[in-house]
């Protein structure tokens, strides 16, 4: 029996995933200077599903140049489909036809919750221009308010004379679902996980600011 994208959406709600994060290495980066790349990246940052599909096709045409481009194409195809692009859903329907759901997956940068640990190079080269190519990031799944929490290691304290007390510090951002910084929502600089736990009201306040900024953008 042929599988459709609609059927996959049911599987996804039960914890399935269409995209499988893989390590592909990176191309030389020359593509990021192309006018088409910059235009699609800007349009996708605004949540344009059709632009996401065009970006997917842009990368898929280059897949023979480097495996990274296929991974980027698959990510944008899934993002476009989840946002209602008919062409992206049709492509996925054709790809999934006759396949057994547990074996369905496409190589990608992130899974289809668009969360996980990832390099800034991968994100930037895929068209998410917020990310610093020199850093590594942890991306949390967008919450019910459409806020994405992103963190990146920035510093650490070494152990004390007893050998204990080592602590890592991170920069924390609250972004929208398209990985954009939000006006008035500044980075929380150099905070440990313990800081996040102990100062949860401070973090919650910044999250509230992010929610307000997202709602303001939609008006």
């Amino acid at each position: 029996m042929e599988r459709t994208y609609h059927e996959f959406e049911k599987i996804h709600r039960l914890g399935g995933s269409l995209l499988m994060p893989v390590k592909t290495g990176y191309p030389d980066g020359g593509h990021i200077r192309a006018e088409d790349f910059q235009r699609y990246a800007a349009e996708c940052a605004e949540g344009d599903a059709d632009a996401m599909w065009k970006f997917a096709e842009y990368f898929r045409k280059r897949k023979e140049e480097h495996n990274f481009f296929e991974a980027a194409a698959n990510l944008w195809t899934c993002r476009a489909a989840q946002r209602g692009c008919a062409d992206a859903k049709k492509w996925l329907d054709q790809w999934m036809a006759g396949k057994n759901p547990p074996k369905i997956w496409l190589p990608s940068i992130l899974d289809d919750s668009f969360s996980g640990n990832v390099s800034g190079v991968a994100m930037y080269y895929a068209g998410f221009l917020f990310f610093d190519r020199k850093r590594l990031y942890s991306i949390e799944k967008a919450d019910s308010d459409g806020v994405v929490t992103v963190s990146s290691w920035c510093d650490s304290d070494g152990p004390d004379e007893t050998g204990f007390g080592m602590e890592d510090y991170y920069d924390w951002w609250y972004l929208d679902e398209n990985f954009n910084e939000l006006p008035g929502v500044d980075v929380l600089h150099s905070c440990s996980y313990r800081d996040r736990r102990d100062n949860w009201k401070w973090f919650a306040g910044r999250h509230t600011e992010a929610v307000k900024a997202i709602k303001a953008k939609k008006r």
Side-chain angles (χ1 to χ4, degrees):
M1 181 179 67
E2 290 190 355
R3 299 287 173 176
T4 67
Y5 183 78
H6 179 68
E7 289 178 278
F8 169 74
E9 287 178 316
K10 295 179 182 178
I11 297 169
H12 173 64
R13 286 195 292 271
L14 297 175
S17 181
L18 178 61
L19 301 179
M20 177 70 71
V22 295
K23 294 182 179 179
T24 63
Y26 309 112
D28 62 17
H31 70 287
I32 67 175
R33 293 186 290 274
E35 183 178 340
D36 286 349
F37 174 89
Q38 293 292 330
R39 184 178 73 254
Y40 290 140
E43 292 173 350
C44 292
E46 295 299 317
D48 186 327
D50 290 333
M52 293 176 188
W53 170 243
K54 292 176 182 177
F55 214 2
E57 290 289 270
Y58 165 85
F59 282 118
R60 193 167 287 113
K61 289 176 182 177
R62 306 187 67 159
K63 68 178 184 178
E64 300 303 324
E65 298 176 29
H66 197 284
N67 289 338
F68 175 85
F69 292 125
E70 182 180 14
N74 293 334
L75 181 145
W76 283 113
T77 298
C78 193
R79 283 183 77 84
Q82 288 187 1
R83 285 158 176 76
C85 177
D87 287 334
K89 290 184 178 183
K90 181 179 178 181
W91 188 94
L92 289 170
D93 281 347
Q94 292 173 344
W95 184 84
M96 289 189 287
K99 291 184 171 64
N100 187 17
K103 297 180 180 179
I104 291 176
W105 64 274
L106 288 162
S108 178
I109 298 161
L110 298 168
D111 67 22
D112 57 4
S113 70
F114 308 110
S115 62
N117 297 316
V118 65
S119 72
V121 177
M123 294 298 285
Y124 196 100
Y125 279 11
F128 299 100
L129 304 188
F130 158 78
F131 295 89
D132 186 332
R133 284 171 278 171
K134 296 180 181 179
R135 303 185 72 167
L136 300 175
Y137 294 88
S138 178
I139 302 173
E140 297 181 17
K141 182 180 178 180
D143 63 24
S144 59
D145 294 308
V147 178
V148 177
T149 302
V150 175
S151 60
S152 179
W153 180 92
C154 64
D155 201 359
S156 63
D157 285 336
D160 59 25
E161 62 276 5
T162 66
F164 295 96
M166 183 174 179
E167 192 159 25
D168 289 311
Y169 297 92
Y170 303 83
D171 291 332
W172 302 82
W173 295 267
Y174 289 120
L175 310 178
D176 68 15
E177 289 182 293
N178 295 307
F179 301 109
N180 297 306
E181 289 186 278
L182 295 162
V185 186
D186 296 328
V187 60
L188 290 160
H189 178 60
S190 195
C191 299
S192 67
Y193 277 89
R194 184 173 65 176
D195 292 331
R196 188 186 185 193
R197 180 196 66 206
D198 294 345
N199 299 289
W200 64 269
K201 288 185 179 180
W202 186 36
F203 277 78
R206 197 59 54 86
H207 182 276
T208 298
E209 293 173 358
V211 173
K212 290 179 180 178
I214 289 172
K215 289 180 178 179
K217 286 180 67 175
K218 292 179 178 179
R219 287 201 291 265

